[in-house]
Amino acid sequence: MAVHSRKPSVRESSKPYGRNKINRSHRTAAKSPALKARPITAKRHRATSLQIRRSVPSSPFHHTRVAITDLDIPVDSRRLVLIDGENVAYNDITDEYIANRMYQAYQWFVANGHRAVVLCPEYLSRKLSGQTPYMQIEVITNIEDGHQNHSTNVPFERTVLQRADEDEAAIVSERSFSSSYGEYLDIVKNRVIGFSFFRESIFIPVDPYGRAGPWLREILRK
């Protein structure tokens, strides 16, 4: 007896992988959700500002220009000002001692409310040219005269430094005091005020020691 078997049709045949086939031409990439910007709250803003400020190195100078130039110091806190008459009077251009230069320095500090005294070696009165206006002058005796005394005069320098130490005073001078400071090093480093002249008018810097200080206001205040 012949057995007839029917060949299964293609439609009826099993296609185990047909249903899982992916058509790449129609596949689209999954879109990731867009990132939302985080609102900057007041707290975050303050933290950011603080971080920026801290990243900038702070200046060692805590003075404003007004504070530096303001010499309105309480009367009880104002230092006495000792003016080195020999050094201030000397004009290095004409090589002569001019009395008016001492007066200009004296008047500058008096006008700013400080008591000032001009210290002069006894021999200086013979060298001064021009009339000597009224000012408080204190003559120092027993100081020998010399050719370069306007720049280096150890006995006179030590007398000025000793007086500044006793009276807690500031000194107006362009001397270096390198040969005479001794135990008065603190005065030389913190209480000497330089100057310059232009057409017989004196100019006192607000920063006699440069940007490192101390400033003029600090020097003139006890």
Side-chain angles (χ1 to χ4, degrees):
M1 180 176 179
V3 178
H4 298 281
S5 61
R6 186 171 63 90
K7 186 178 180 179
S9 64
V10 176
R11 182 176 297 179
E12 294 176 353
S13 64
S14 62
K15 297 180 180 179
Y17 302 104
R19 297 187 185 92
N20 297 330
K21 186 177 180 180
I22 298 175
N23 189 345
R24 294 183 181 274
S25 62
H26 297 287
R27 188 178 66 176
T28 56
K31 295 183 179 180
S32 58
L35 296 177
K36 295 183 179 180
R38 294 173 59 188
I40 298 179
T41 61
K43 185 176 181 180
R44 284 187 60 207
H45 179 71
R46 286 196 299 270
T48 305
S49 300
L50 287 173
Q51 185 177 5
I52 293 174
R53 285 200 296 267
R54 287 169 183 168
S55 64
V56 179
S58 59
S59 171
F61 312 109
H62 305 289
H63 307 277
T64 63
R65 186 71 181 177
V66 174
I68 295 171
T69 56
D70 180 17
L71 298 181
D72 187 16
I73 302 170
V75 177
D76 295 340
S77 300
R78 297 175 188 175
R79 289 190 188 276
L80 169 68
V81 178
L82 301 178
I83 298 171
D84 181 350
E86 184 176 37
N87 182 259
V88 172
Y90 182 73
N91 186 332
D92 57 352
I93 297 176
T94 61
D95 192 26
E96 60 180 340
Y97 294 87
I98 303 174
N100 186 58
R101 290 167 69 100
M102 295 191 305
Y103 178 74
Q104 289 290 328
Y106 173 83
Q107 190 60 31
W108 194 96
F109 288 97
V110 170
N112 280 281
H114 288 265
R115 188 167 69 89
V117 178
V118 182
L119 300 181
C120 297
E122 188 176 16
Y123 58 79
L124 184 61
S125 60
R126 302 191 301 268
K127 296 183 175 183
L128 290 174
S129 62
Q131 294 184 348
T132 304
Y134 173 78
M135 56 187 139
Q136 188 173 349
I137 298 177
E138 187 173 314
V139 177
I140 309 299
T141 59
N142 300 322
I143 303 293
E144 294 184 4
D145 192 2
H147 179 64
Q148 294 293 327
N149 276 9
H150 62 273
S151 59
T152 304
N153 186 344
V154 175
F156 180 68
E157 291 174 16
R158 291 192 63 81
T159 301
V160 174
L161 290 171
Q162 183 179 359
R163 176 71 182 277
D165 181 55
E166 293 172 354
D167 295 342
E168 298 183 355
I171 300 172
V172 179
S173 179
E174 279 289 321
R175 299 183 193 269
S176 65
F177 295 95
S178 59
S179 302
S180 58
Y181 61 82
E183 66 271 26
Y184 306 115
L185 179 61
D186 182 68
I187 297 175
V188 175
K189 292 176 65 175
N190 295 288
R191 276 193 260 158
V192 178
I193 302 170
F195 60 89
S196 60
F197 275 93
F198 179 72
R199 294 182 180 177
E200 299 308 316
S201 295
I202 194 169
F203 291 87
I204 304 295
V206 296
D207 53 350
Y209 289 89
R211 294 187 62 187
W215 304 101
L216 179 62
R217 177 184 173 86
E218 296 169 342
I219 296 172
L220 293 176
R221 185 180 183 127
K222 294 181 182 179

